[in-house]
Amino acid sequence: MTHIRWNLLFLAFCAVLCNRPLLAATPAQDQYYSLSKVATQLGMKAARSVVGDKLQITLSSQWSNVVLRESQRSCTINDITVHLSKAVIKRHGTLYLSESDYNKTIIPLLLPQKLSPPKGCKRIVLDPGHGGKDNGAENKSLKLKEKHLALSLAQSLKGILEQRGYTVYLTRSNDTFIELDDRPKNAGAWNADLFISLHFNASATTSVRGAETYILPPAGHVSTSGSSYNGNASLSGNRWDEWNMLLGYYVQKQLVQSLPASDRGLKRARFAVLRTLNCPGILVEGGFVSNNSEGANIGSAAYRKKMAIAIADAVDSYSRTFERVKNGK
Ligand SMILES: [Zn+2]
């Protein structure tokens, strides 16, 4: 074999090695990609820094920046917190992102043109949480019940979305109890394109406040709280993982940018209303009624209207991305 052939063989061997993801022994058998490879794939620059004693890498382009830090199971994407399925790991002096987080978080948000579009985004089901015998979260001193607040928010959002040309259904339009399983079932019967469940939070720690938005965890991955089901089974709602991510991100971003609400991030949990959806869907926790100051905000119709406008703006952003992807732009 000639010298040149050996060189070519060596180069081919290196290419295979460099492209081969780092394999990690994890329950979900995830593979990992180095952030330098991710940066190349996305056409972004990677800048290293050290925060405390942790390596941090910022990926940036003229449109986006993504900040990932060693051992952290969240990142920021254009300044919004996005929780990851796996912590970022450090090997050989660089950081690695799990394949699942690359495919289900980074690609949908930074390269949505790679996704295949769902069927539409004009028919929206709003799902005010709780109702009837189920009050949901409460703040007794402020006389707040989540079931009333969620319904009022849903009605306000319905009006705004209808003005913008969407067709909107509510899973309940009065103070009645609806089984959790019936909510996604009804969305399917109405041939929904999007499902948005609306909730408010409560915590025994009354200082806790802020907005968070939930989507389903990818099959085989733990929820953000890390305590729920970790099987490998794919739920029917997992068909929309990438579009769930897009919708959830847009909503979380609009909420924290439009309201005086702190960013608790885009999270993942296998909520019953998300598991069996026939379309992309999210669950919004618009703030903590248990926090007296945030509770007072949420109790005000003007604040809920602002929140409704923020969610409608996010639906518009999603809709624009959907149209761009559908039209191959
Ligand atoms: Zn709730």
Side-chain angles (χ1 to χ4, degrees), residues 18 49 64 79 100 145 180-181 206 256 280 302:
C18 297
S49 55
S64 306
D79 303 323
S100 166
K145 286 181 181 167
L180 288 178
D181 288 348
T206 55
V256 300

Side-chain angles (χ1 to χ4, degrees), residues 4-318:
I4 288 176
R5 274 201 189 146
W6 273 114
N7 273 351
L8 284 175
L9 256 183
F10 178 71
L11 283 176
F13 180 65
C14 283
V16 168
L17 266 191
C18 297
N19 282 321
R20 208 183 75 183
L22 177 71
L23 264 175
T26 60
Q29 292 302 315
D30 250 0
Q31 298 188 328
Y32 283 78
Y33 296 129
S34 79
L35 287 189
S36 49
K37 183 183 169 180
V38 171
T40 308
Q41 296 271 344
L42 299 171
M44 299 174 90
K45 286 188 190 131
R48 297 161 65 92
S49 55
V50 176
V51 179
D53 60 345
K54 303 288 185 200
L55 176 59
Q56 177 170 290
I57 292 185
T58 303
L59 307 177
S60 58
S61 68
Q62 71 182 106
W63 302 283
S64 306
N65 72 82
V66 183
V67 182
L68 298 121
R69 193 178 298 173
E70 172 187 350
S71 308
Q72 213 164 271
R73 194 151 80 94
S74 65
C75 64
T76 60
I77 301 182
N78 292 339
D79 303 323
I80 300 299
T81 305
V82 179
H83 293 265
L84 299 169
S85 290
K86 300 273 176 174
V88 172
I89 58 173
K90 185 175 151 193
R91 294 281 189 283
H92 319 304
T94 191
L95 297 186
Y96 286 77
L97 178 71
S98 80
E99 182 187 37
S100 166
D101 288 312
Y102 178 68
N103 288 327
K104 306 278 183 171
T105 299
I106 299 294
I107 290 292
L109 299 184
L110 274 70
L111 280 181
Q113 58 271 35
K114 287 209 167 214
L115 309 179
S116 38
K119 65 182 172 61
C121 63
K122 282 288 169 222
R123 297 168 68 83
I124 300 176
V125 169
L126 301 178
D127 175 45
H130 313 276
K133 65 184 180 185
D134 175 10
N135 291 335
E138 289 184 64
N139 181 324
K140 291 209 162 78
S141 63
L142 293 176
K143 299 190 172 58
L144 298 177
K145 286 181 181 167
E146 182 186 356
K147 63 174 183 176
H148 297 316
L149 298 164
L151 179 59
S152 156
L153 173 63
Q155 284 165 333
S156 167
L157 178 54
K158 180 176 190 281
I160 297 165
L161 288 170
E162 283 173 343
Q163 274 173 10
R164 297 186 187 186
Y166 297 94
T167 303
V168 183
Y169 299 86
L170 299 184
T171 54
R172 66 177 177 94
S173 45
N174 51 37
D175 185 17
T176 47
F177 177 76
I178 314 270
E179 293 288 351
L180 288 178
D181 288 348
D182 286 339
R183 298 169 186 251
K185 217 184 270 174
N186 290 341
W190 290 325
N191 196 21
D193 294 320
L194 289 181
F195 177 91
I196 301 175
S197 194
L198 299 166
H199 290 252
F200 293 96
N201 238 326
S203 167
T205 312
T206 55
S207 58
V208 175
R209 56 184 298 163
E212 53 196 27
T213 305
Y214 283 88
I215 59 173
L216 270 185
H221 291 277
V222 290
S223 61
T224 299
S225 72
S227 56
S228 65
Y229 164 87
N230 186 25
N232 280 313
S234 183
L235 299 162
S236 54
N238 282 122
R239 287 171 293 169
W240 322 107
D241 278 346
E242 292 82 1
W243 292 88
N244 294 341
M245 171 54 67
L246 264 171
L247 179 62
Y249 178 84
Y250 287 139
V251 168
Q252 181 66 16
K253 183 176 174 204
Q254 286 297 336
L255 286 176
V256 300
Q257 288 182 350
S258 310
L259 300 171
S262 52
D263 177 21
R264 294 175 56 83
L266 178 61
K267 297 183 170 183
R268 290 173 163 114
R270 288 183 178 85
F271 287 126
V273 292
L274 302 180
R275 285 182 202 154
T276 57
L277 282 173
N278 264 327
C279 63
I282 60 171
L283 185 145
V284 179
E285 291 280 3
F288 284 75
V289 293
S290 46
N291 177 275
N292 277 337
S293 138
E294 194 161 63
N297 280 339
I298 293 166
S300 115
Y303 187 86
R304 292 196 301 276
K305 172 100 186 276
K306 237 181 173 179
M307 188 177 285
I309 292 170
I311 298 171
D313 288 348
V315 170
D316 278 343
S317 298
Y318 176 96

